[in-house]
Amino acid sequence: MSGETVADDRYDVIVVGSGAGLIGAYAAASRGLRTLVVEKTGYLGGTTALSGAGIWLPGNAAEERAGVEDSPEAARPYLDAIVGDDAPAALREAFLQAGPRMIDELERNDRFRWFEWRGVPDYFEGRPGSSATGRTIFPPELRRTELGNLAALIRPPLWTERWGAPLEPVMVGGQALIGRALLAYLETGYGSVRVDTALEGLVVEDGRVVGIEAVSEGERVTLRADRGVILAAGGYERNAELRRRHQPEVGDEWTQGCEGNTGDALLAGMAIGAATDLLDESWFAPGLVVPDTRPVFYTSVWSGIWVNAAGQRYLNERLPYDRAGHEMLRAERASDVSHLPTYWIFDQRQIDNERAFATLPVAPQVPGWFDVEGFVEAGVLKRADTLDELAEQIGVPAGALGKSVEQFNGYARTGTDEQFHRGEAPWDLMTVHQAGPHTDGPNPCLGVIGEPPFYAATIVLSDLGTKGGLRTDEHARVLRPDGSVITGLYASGNTMAPATGRIYPGAGGPVASSMAFSYLAALDIAGGSR
């Protein structure tokens, strides 16, 4: 699939991966560089296509249109405070400065007009520079008909991929971002795409990366890149061996990443001497276990509490998902008590409030997906008339579970969670209006657990992808362990060791980082031209 006629094995730029790396491909092609995107699977978009496509970029034009006062300078103290020494300051500065420039450039193309700001609070409240109103923007929706035959190449949303839900005529979120980027890229006249093309290795001549070895539709091919190769192929979340090596408590069975993300680009870079960092990290997200498929990305509770194997609460259950996931992992490592899995305890009112499941922040767009009887029959949801009976079913001490619920109910009645301060942060309060409060008291994030039957759902440590990868400089150039540049090789997204270190600054951090460093890679390849 091509926007021009070129030899089928030689290009200026090759981009490995078709998620947010498409932004880098567009930036290169729009500067007249013959560009090829290779995608391992039969679909374009990777995990980005499965996402809500939030884009966390301080000081962008969409914020300005919405009347939000923000800038890279305003966000710098925030990133400095929460990232610290876990990633080079030069990387986050490059990210901050690239974001507004990139959005300005994209919006000059009608395919990207106009990104929309929505009020999603930053994930670390109270830190210097943190924004309670948020910095996250989203792409405009896209009618599927605008893509024509290309629509069939976009990876379908999760609820279609996993539940078989019909495709909607209008693409939103990651679907819309990938669709718009693909159209803009091909319309440059310098862009080509090859699907079903798996990276096997990098071609190196005289110390410079000059292309890739790949298997395309079963045939081994060599594809040359005269100016540079951008590795934007996601993380290694679907590689069981790598996860056992670097994240033994997590594994690969619960990830939300798409099936092509087995770390091929990471391994290819390592094979030619690239340095790596933070391979023990992921963009964590607690996952609600459901029958017959991977867990549902579960950002926070509407009601009820989470308990460990001792029947005890151990966190604010409404923490932003990555923070909650890290807390699950921290607790698991710090204690002899199991926290993986965790049990979500709630009562009949959660079941009766249908909106509480239908409007989970990333719930499947499938009516009735939370099938109580089906979930109970499958064993992923436990139900009992008393808390003691429920504790016996999930194997936790009955007295401890009852004590935890009683203590929480006291907090719900007073409106203050004295243990973990649930319901005090902007993120905690943001989504209450969507499902309605579950409360018998003054705090809409706290509600008494008291109406039988009682339920226990299973929460596992899921993720949106691994985030450790190849070390790069501020131009996205891949580095060796001694800090020297591997000429001709670039990395972005989850193939790259993250600019934000071990933290997740706000909704859309992963997509924004992938877009920004793919863009920076293209600028460097093009010599900084506009």
Side-chain angles (χ1 to χ4, degrees):
M1 184 174 64
S2 176
E4 63 157 0
T5 302
V6 295
D8 63 2
D9 63 349
R10 195 174 196 108
Y11 302 85
D12 293 317
V13 183
I14 294 176
V15 180
V16 181
S18 64
L22 274 174
I23 299 301
Y26 166 72
S30 67
R31 287 164 170 77
L33 299 179
R34 294 170 294 112
T35 304
L36 173 68
V37 171
V38 297
E39 166 57 44
K40 178 180 181 179
T41 73
Y43 288 116
L44 301 175
T47 303
T48 301
L50 304 179
S51 75
I55 304 166
W56 191 87
L57 291 171
N60 63 75
E63 285 184 290
E64 184 177 350
R65 287 193 296 273
V68 177
E69 293 186 9
D70 195 20
S71 66
E73 292 70 31
R76 187 182 297 118
Y78 176 62
L79 287 182
D80 287 347
I82 60 179
V83 177
D85 296 330
D86 289 335
L91 287 185
R92 55 182 179 268
E93 185 63 25
F95 168 76
L96 287 171
Q97 298 304 323
R101 177 184 180 186
M102 177 181 67
I103 294 300
D104 287 347
E105 180 173 332
L106 294 179
E107 289 193 336
R108 288 197 290 269
N109 186 316
D110 286 342
R111 289 298 184 188
F112 291 104
R113 292 181 180 168
W114 300 95
F115 289 92
E116 177 189 358
W117 172 85
R118 299 176 194 168
V120 184
D122 284 346
Y123 289 169
F124 290 83
E125 73 283 352
R127 302 297 182 91
S130 175
S131 172
T133 54
R135 298 166 159 123
T136 303
I137 63 174
F138 295 83
E141 63 185 28
L142 176 68
R143 295 198 66 81
R144 196 171 293 275
T145 53
E146 292 187 46
L147 281 160
N149 293 335
L150 296 176
L153 284 173
I154 306 298
R155 179 170 291 280
L158 275 176
W159 41 91
T160 297
E161 189 175 84
R162 298 186 187 177
W163 280 270
L167 292 171
E168 296 292 333
V170 176
M171 292 178 165
V172 298
Q175 297 269 296
L177 179 63
I178 295 301
R180 290 182 176 280
L182 178 62
L183 287 171
Y185 169 61
L186 293 178
E187 288 167 357
T188 65
Y190 290 94
S192 304
V193 173
R194 292 180 69 149
V195 296
D196 296 313
T197 301
L199 176 69
E200 291 279 295
L202 298 165
V203 180
V204 182
E205 295 178 358
D206 299 324
R208 178 187 180 91
V209 173
V210 296
I212 67 171
E213 298 282 354
V215 174
S216 183
E217 298 181 340
E219 179 183 354
R220 185 172 295 276
V221 296
T222 299
L223 302 168
R224 296 186 66 86
D226 293 337
R227 303 283 289 271
V229 172
I230 304 174
L231 300 178
Y236 67 87
E237 56 268 18
R238 292 290 195 109
N239 186 315
E241 180 183 350
L242 285 178
R243 294 208 83 154
R244 280 193 298 270
R245 186 185 311 168
H246 299 291
Q247 301 184 14
E249 301 96 339
V250 183
D252 66 314
E253 63 269 28
W254 300 129
T255 184
Q256 307 291 321
C258 69
E259 78 278 3
N261 293 355
T262 54
D264 303 347
L266 170 67
L267 293 171
M270 293 170 64
I272 65 165
T276 62
D277 200 8
L278 298 177
L279 292 179
D280 60 335
E281 276 293 345
S282 292
W283 303 98
F284 287 117
L288 173 66
V289 176
V290 299
D292 304 322
T293 188
R294 289 176 181 267
V296 171
F297 171 25
Y298 178 56
T299 61
S300 59
V301 303
W302 296 126
S303 68
I305 60 174
W306 288 1
V307 300
N308 58 22
Q312 300 169 335
R313 285 182 77 206
Y314 63 95
L315 81 172
N316 168 8
E317 298 89 347
R318 289 186 71 94
L319 280 174
Y321 40 94
D322 185 68
R323 289 180 61 187
H326 273 96
E327 184 60 21
M328 292 173 72
L329 188 57
R330 184 209 62 77
E332 176 72 10
R333 290 171 172 170
S335 172
D336 293 335
V337 174
S338 174
H339 294 74
L340 301 177
T342 280
Y343 297 101
W344 174 25
I345 309 300
F346 53 90
D347 67 7
Q348 184 62 33
R349 282 178 294 184
Q350 172 79 30
I351 300 296
D352 292 341
N353 185 354
E354 295 181 1
R355 287 192 302 158
F357 291 110
T359 60
L360 279 173
V362 195
Q365 302 300 297
V366 181
W369 71 272
F370 197 97
D371 176 5
V372 175
E373 299 306 321
F375 279 34
V376 170
E377 184 177 348
V380 300
L381 182 67
K382 305 296 184 182
R383 178 171 57 194
D385 290 330
T386 68
L387 288 171
D388 284 352
E389 291 172 2
L390 187 66
E392 183 177 358
Q393 288 190 41
I394 62 175
V396 306
L401 180 62
K403 182 178 179 180
S404 293
V405 170
E406 180 181 7
Q407 185 178 47
F408 180 78
N409 285 347
Y411 300 152
R413 293 187 179 101
T414 65
T416 301
D417 178 2
E418 297 177 11
Q419 265 189 305
F420 301 110
H421 305 284
R422 178 167 138 192
E424 297 177 13
W427 168 267
D428 292 15
L429 297 165
M430 177 188 68
T431 50
V432 168
H433 69 280
Q434 291 180 282
H438 301 270
T439 178
D440 303 280
N443 191 324
C445 294
L446 308 175
V448 170
I449 305 168
E451 184 177 322
F454 301 98
Y455 296 84
T458 303
I459 305 297
V460 294
L461 183 55
S462 184
D463 60 75
L464 310 182
T466 56
K467 67 186 297 190
L470 305 177
R471 281 180 48 206
T472 66
D473 67 7
E474 63 270 26
H475 304 290
R477 299 179 298 184
V478 175
L479 303 176
R480 298 183 180 89
D482 64 3
S484 62
V485 170
I486 299 179
T487 306
L489 186 62
Y490 299 77
S492 68
N494 291 350
T495 306
M496 164 192 170
T500 54
R502 297 185 180 278
I503 60 85
Y504 198 144
V511 174
S513 180
S514 184
M515 291 172 65
F517 283 96
S518 298
Y519 177 73
L520 287 168
L523 293 187
D524 193 73
I525 292 170
S529 62
R530 295 290 296 172

